[in-house]
Amino acid sequence: MTSRHAPVILDIAGPSLSADDRRRLAHPFTGGVILFARHWQDRHQLTNLVAEMKAIREDLLVCVDHEGGRVQRFRTDGFTHIPPMRHYGEMWMKDALTATDAATAAGFVLASELRACGVDLSFTPVLDLDWGSSGVIGDRAFHADARVVTMLAKSLMMGLLQAGMANCGKHFPGHGFVKADSHTEIPVDRRAKKAVLGDDAKPYEWLSSSLKSVMPAHVIYPKVDSRPAGFSGTWLQDILRVDLGFTGAVFSDDLSMEGARMLDGKPVSYVEAGVAALNAGCDMVLLCNQSQVNGGRAVDELLEGLAKGAARGQWATNPHSEVRRRALLPQTAPLPWDELMRHVPYQQALERMEG
């Protein structure tokens, strides 16, 4: 069975591969894996784990949420502690040029260290505005001003690019205004479309030629659509792709989050949520933290359910989505860790990232 579209980003149960992990990674609908802190013991173990996964599927996209601040999965055995993005927003208020240079340095350090261990992509930068009301976003955001967010995010993305890593802007069109956490609730942003596009979504417009991928928010904007943005063709196709001109890949946010499990007022399965996200315009769907629950039954259900759904015409595999997925894979070889530690640009970036 060969797939022209490998849409599932899944996780594995622990820091080493089980037989079930290997079977799932070999499934033709598996396009990537997302790593968490539970997959980390040390650099040697992580590097070997990634190599084992890529031996199963060479073009597997290995991802992680590694933004800095409180969202940084690997923190020991030499990994640099990246400041929260608010640090660069605060720096901007004192010296904008120093802040942009420091943000670029942070992106270079972040990506270089991850790539030295074989990781392909970090889901960063956060483009949400800091409205001061969202606990789940909070200091993950650069600033309250969309122009500052855009400039600092572009600087961080330049650092990622210098290390050979793509980027992922999140959470489209903006999660910073609502208080509810979509991990446990379904946030609702009742502002008019004009207000959301005029503030929160501006970084996506201004960065449309620089962003390589986007992750939409599990937030409902009822003035635009009754479904959360990640399940809305209006947001993902009409607005993001047509109006804002975005041509990169679109990831769903985690399908296990509460904000993804209720559509049109009804609870849905992981498969139903995955089909809805793909039909709305997502290229890939994430299912996180389910591989260690009930033997990973939910992961198997998603993989097999999507395969059956495609065969029944419930959703269509998309070769363009596969091209966009593959475009996120690094095009250059990373520096091994020991070489990276002696690499002059890396050493300079370490000094400059704090400003």
Side-chain angles (χ1 to χ4, degrees), residues 9 61-65 120-127 153 157 160-161 165-172 203-205 207-217 236 240-241 245-253 281-286 320-321 323-329:
I9 309 294
L61 182 67
V62 180
C63 312
V64 67
D65 278 321
D120 300 316
L121 178 70
S122 175
F123 291 121
T124 188
V126 170
L127 299 181
M157 288 157 51
L160 299 176
L161 181 62
M165 181 177 283
N167 56 65
C168 181
K170 61 186 186 184
H171 306 81
F172 176 79
Y204 296 90
E205 176 183 347
L207 295 171
S208 62
S209 63
S210 304
L211 284 170
K212 300 303 180 184
S213 64
V214 162
M215 181 179 289
L236 299 186
L240 181 61
R241 293 216 182 273
F246 176 68
T247 59
V250 178
F251 292 90
S252 80
D253 206 341
C282 288
D283 299 298
M284 289 163 280
V285 294
L286 277 78
H320 300 294
S321 291
V323 170
R324 289 191 281 262
R325 183 190 74 82
R326 290 173 179 265
L328 297 175
L329 291 163

Side-chain angles (χ1 to χ4, degrees), residues 290-319:
Q290 298 301 310
S291 58
Q292 74 275 36
V293 179
N294 294 325
R297 184 184 307 162
V299 186
D300 290 329
E301 288 177 357
L302 178 63
L303 289 169
E304 296 309 318
L306 288 181
K308 291 177 182 177
R312 294 169 180 165
Q314 295 171 344
W315 70 283
T317 58
N318 185 345

Side-chain angles (χ1 to χ4, degrees), residues 256-306:
S256 70
M257 291 163 60
E258 191 63 31
R261 302 300 308 285
M262 187 76 68
L263 294 179
D264 304 323
K266 300 176 182 178
V268 297
S269 68
Y270 295 124
V271 176
E272 290 169 324
V275 168
L278 291 165
N279 283 334
C282 288
D283 299 298
M284 289 163 280
V285 294
L286 277 78
L287 183 60
C288 305
N289 299 313
Q290 298 301 310
S291 58
Q292 74 275 36
V293 179
N294 294 325
R297 184 184 307 162
V299 186
D300 290 329
E301 288 177 357
L302 178 63
L303 289 169
E304 296 309 318
L306 288 181

Side-chain angles (χ1 to χ4, degrees), residues 139-177:
D139 65 1
R140 297 166 65 193
F142 286 104
H143 202 272
D145 188 323
R147 296 166 296 180
V148 177
V149 169
T150 300
M151 293 306 298
L152 290 174
K154 190 164 190 174
S155 299
L156 184 91
M157 288 157 51
M158 175 59 73
L160 299 176
L161 181 62
Q162 288 172 348
M165 181 177 283
N167 56 65
C168 181
K170 61 186 186 184
H171 306 81
F172 176 79
H175 199 309
F177 188 80

Side-chain angles (χ1 to χ4, degrees), residues 175-196:
H175 199 309
F177 188 80
V178 292
K179 293 182 180 180
D181 180 354
S182 55
H183 291 84
T184 57
E185 304 176 65
I186 305 175
V188 178
D189 187 335
R190 301 190 182 280
R191 291 177 297 166
K193 175 183 175 181
K194 182 177 181 181
V196 177

